[in-house]
Amino acid sequence: MTAHPQGRIRRAVLRGALCAVAVVAGAGLTGCSGEDPDAGTNGVGKLPAERIQSRTRAAADSADAVHLAGNVVSNGRTYRLDMRLKSDGGTGSVTSQGVTFGLLRVGEQLYLKADAGFWDRADGDGKGDGGAAGKLDGKYVKVPQGDPAYKRFSGFTDKKVLLDGLLTLHGTLATDGHHEQSGVRTIRLTGGDGTGGTLDVSLEGSPYPLRLERAGGAGTLSFSEWGKDFPLTQPATDQTVDYGRQLPTS
């Protein structure tokens, strides 16, 4: 039987009045605020914070590749990272104290690429383009695995090391509502009510981490291009230099 139009109108008016009362009272009735924020999502937004964290870590670990960009503060120094990473290496750039250098790791072999100014400043020989710095300008310099620079810089090219170190929130986990990052709906995780960092997790497709604010103002990073492959090959021989001794580091 078709409902009488006046009956539908009365019910609509009553529903609107109830919603208004709920807003004033701070109660919040289901359906009064419009669409379900988790409708059409991957469903992780309805999970407890600990399970969301578990799901996003599993998604990140299983992804073949990722692009991360942003700032990381470590040992009192700020590093600006723009890196593409996968399980067998990574490539990109790092900026620290106004100096930018490129990193490339293919398997176990790490290369550092920078201009003469970087090497001149790092080596401190004052010879500029006339010394060793000029020979290294714009070249891929092999970093020996036993060199202190290898340990210092290879972590920037290691997907597992970076994600294990970054995707950790400190303190009691909680959710902090639905948000959006670059047009993608997210659920936000917090550690220690935000003092232990915040992490936005995608509600669309796989629950990948999309944006991280580290605890204590130790940097902000964005994550994108999850699972998108990229070429990772050894540089050409004529573009490679074997430094032959311990590398200088700035």
Side-chain angles (χ1 to χ4, degrees):
M1 180 179 295
T2 303
H4 194 279
Q6 291 184 347
R8 290 199 299 270
I9 293 172
R10 283 195 297 269
R11 285 195 294 275
V13 171
L14 178 60
R15 178 181 176 82
L18 287 173
C19 285
V21 171
V23 170
V24 172
L29 298 176
T30 301
C32 290
S33 60
E35 291 186 8
D36 176 359
D38 291 299
T41 70
N42 54 27
V44 298
K46 297 181 178 180
L47 300 177
E50 290 79 7
R51 290 188 62 190
I52 297 173
Q53 183 187 51
S54 177
R55 292 281 186 92
T56 194
R57 288 299 301 270
D61 289 344
S62 64
D64 293 331
V66 63
H67 178 199
L68 68 84
N71 298 318
V72 172
V73 180
S74 178
N75 297 322
R77 179 175 292 188
T78 298
Y79 296 91
R80 171 71 185 176
L81 308 181
D82 188 353
M83 301 295 301
R84 283 178 167 81
L85 309 168
K86 49 187 178 181
S87 60
D88 58 343
T91 183
S93 65
V94 179
T95 301
S96 176
Q97 296 183 320
V99 177
T100 299
F101 54 91
L103 290 174
L104 168 66
R105 184 174 62 83
V106 183
E108 296 300 318
Q109 184 59 66
L110 177 67
Y111 301 89
L112 195 155
K113 183 179 181 181
D115 61 18
F118 170 88
W119 293 112
D120 189 41
R121 175 180 175 181
D123 203 17
D125 61 10
K127 297 178 182 179
D129 290 347
K135 299 177 182 178
L136 303 179
D137 182 22
K139 299 291 187 179
Y140 287 95
V141 179
K142 289 183 179 181
V143 183
Q145 291 188 37
D147 192 287
Y150 188 95
K151 182 177 181 180
R152 179 178 176 184
F153 295 132
S154 63
F156 289 130
T157 67
D158 193 312
K159 174 176 176 283
K160 178 174 173 52
V161 168
L162 267 182
L163 295 185
D164 283 350
L166 293 173
L167 298 180
T168 300
L169 300 178
H170 303 282
T172 303
L173 288 177
T175 56
D176 186 27
H178 292 70
H179 300 267
E180 185 177 295
Q181 294 296 328
S182 301
V184 178
R185 289 178 291 174
T186 66
I187 183 73
R188 181 166 297 170
L189 293 179
T190 66
D193 292 327
T195 61
T198 66
L199 181 67
D200 277 45
V201 176
S202 177
L203 289 174
E204 302 177 20
S206 297
Y208 292 127
L210 298 184
R211 185 176 186 274
L212 169 72
E213 287 191 15
R214 302 183 71 203
T220 300
L221 289 161
S222 63
F223 305 87
S224 61
E225 299 179 77
W226 287 101
K228 183 178 180 180
D229 196 16
F230 60 91
L232 193 61
T233 57
Q234 298 278 358
T237 303
D238 62 354
Q239 291 296 311
T240 304
V241 174
D242 191 341
Y243 196 76
R245 61 182 176 87
Q246 181 173 308
L247 291 177
T249 56
S250 57

